């Protein structure tokens, strides 16, 4: 793919100066160029880029933050948006350890690579922490570290359950999307999802 073609497309599609500083724009182009090396056609890139902008918009995330997320993890452009959507909904239960405030927007914008974690494991760990019969969450909060950053070996050492066992104990229900959308924390996302349902591809 010709680098100039991508730059021309991005310049036609967006006025990056509205959202990024000159140094950030240069960084953005370099990151995109590296990402596209021997990867895809211009048309595929356009489709993935447009799909990503639409996806983040549906979550209420600004264009500036969307561009920052792409810079932090360009592979988000070709990631499965249906899986990302379910992970975003699941992250409604994850909060900052010090403030108790939700952190999913921070994760998807500033730490999107965290979303490489498989959904089955994320779901199983979330249900494990939400199980009222287990006295395992010291402060009753599910944090980014507990859910995503703790390795499987560390998790087993701390909580006494292996990756295989936790996924087996808490399998993902077939109607998982409906379940996640029903959570109170996902009320605003649910409204947007329902309003755009007919036109989406995920």
């Amino acid at each position: 793919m010709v680098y100039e073609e991508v730059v021309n497309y991005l310049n036609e599609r967006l006025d990056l100066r509205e959202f990024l500083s000159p140094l950030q724009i240069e960084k953005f182009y370099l990151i995109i160029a590296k990402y596209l090396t021997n990867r895809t056609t211009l048309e595929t890139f356009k489709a993935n880029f447009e799909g990503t902008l639409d996806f983040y918009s549906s979550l209420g995330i600004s264009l500036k933050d969307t561009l920052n997320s792409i810079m932090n993890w360009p592979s988000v452009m070709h990631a499965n948006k249906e899986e990302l959507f379910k992970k975003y909904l699941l992250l409604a239960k994850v909060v900052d350890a010090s403030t108790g405030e939700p952190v999913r927007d921070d994760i998807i914008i500033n730490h999107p690579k965290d979303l490489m974690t498989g959904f089955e494991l994320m779901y199983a760990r979330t249900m494990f922490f939400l199980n009222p019969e287990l006295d395992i969450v010291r402060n009753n909060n599910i944090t980014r570290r507990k859910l995503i950053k703790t390795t499987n070996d560390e998790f087993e050492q701390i909580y006494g359950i292996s990756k295989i066992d936790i996924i087996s104990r808490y399998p993902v229900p077939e109607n998982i999307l409906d379940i996640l959308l029903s959570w109170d924390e996902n009320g605003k996302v649910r409204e947007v999802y329902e309003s755009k349902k007919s036109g989406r591809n995920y």
Side-chain angles (χ1 to χ4, degrees):
M1 181 186 300
V2 180
Y3 173 66
E4 288 75 14
E5 291 181 338
V6 176
V7 171
N8 289 337
Y9 160 70
L10 291 171
N11 286 334
E12 291 172 2
R13 177 62 178 81
L14 300 168
D15 184 356
L16 293 176
R17 294 170 299 179
E18 287 187 34
F19 313 103
L20 305 174
S21 69
L23 285 177
Q24 288 175 319
I25 292 174
E26 183 179 352
K27 178 183 176 183
F28 184 74
Y29 286 148
L30 290 174
I31 288 172
I32 294 299
K34 182 178 179 181
Y35 164 75
L36 292 173
T37 303
N38 300 321
R39 180 180 292 271
T40 186
T41 66
L42 179 61
E43 291 307 312
T44 300
F45 169 75
K46 287 181 180 180
N48 289 340
F49 185 73
E50 295 293 340
T52 302
L53 298 188
D54 180 63
F55 173 68
Y56 276 70
S57 175
S58 73
L59 300 180
I61 295 174
S62 71
L63 186 51
K64 179 178 181 178
D65 285 335
T66 300
L67 295 174
N68 282 323
S69 180
I70 291 172
M71 283 196 287
N72 287 323
W73 188 45
S75 293
V76 73
M77 286 187 287
H78 68 256
N80 183 305
K81 300 304 186 291
E82 182 178 355
E83 286 297 298
L84 285 182
F85 185 56
K86 290 190 295 186
K87 290 175 183 178
Y88 183 81
L89 294 173
L90 190 63
L91 289 172
K93 300 293 186 181
V94 182
V95 298
D96 182 89
S98 58
T99 66
E101 293 297 314
V103 296
R104 63 179 171 188
D105 282 356
D106 177 63
I107 289 175
I108 200 170
I109 295 166
N110 298 312
H111 311 282
K113 200 170 182 179
D114 283 357
L115 301 176
M116 287 181 65
T117 303
F119 180 76
E120 284 188 341
L121 181 60
M122 286 180 63
Y123 173 81
R125 284 188 177 185
T126 301
M127 294 302 104
F128 178 73
F129 287 128
L130 290 177
N131 189 337
E133 298 177 3
L134 301 176
D135 184 21
I136 50 171
V137 187
R138 295 192 190 104
N139 56 5
N140 295 319
N141 286 337
I142 304 175
T143 64
R144 174 179 170 237
R145 168 156 178 75
K146 290 176 184 176
L147 184 65
I148 299 171
K149 304 305 291 182
T150 303
T151 68
N152 292 318
D153 287 342
E154 290 173 333
F155 199 94
E156 185 170 0
Q157 290 175 4
I158 297 170
Y159 302 110
I161 186 168
S162 69
K163 175 183 176 180
I164 293 175
D165 288 342
I166 197 172
I167 289 176
S168 176
R169 185 180 298 181
Y170 301 99
V172 178
E174 290 187 8
N175 63 333
I176 184 58
L177 184 58
D178 292 333
I179 292 172
L180 296 176
L181 286 168
S182 72
W183 289 357
D184 290 342
E185 299 93 332
N186 288 325
K188 291 183 179 179
V189 181
R190 180 173 62 248
E191 291 177 7
V192 176
Y193 175 83
E194 294 295 339
S195 68
K196 295 185 176 182
K197 193 172 183 179
S198 60
R200 76 168 23 85
N201 294 318
Y202 59 89

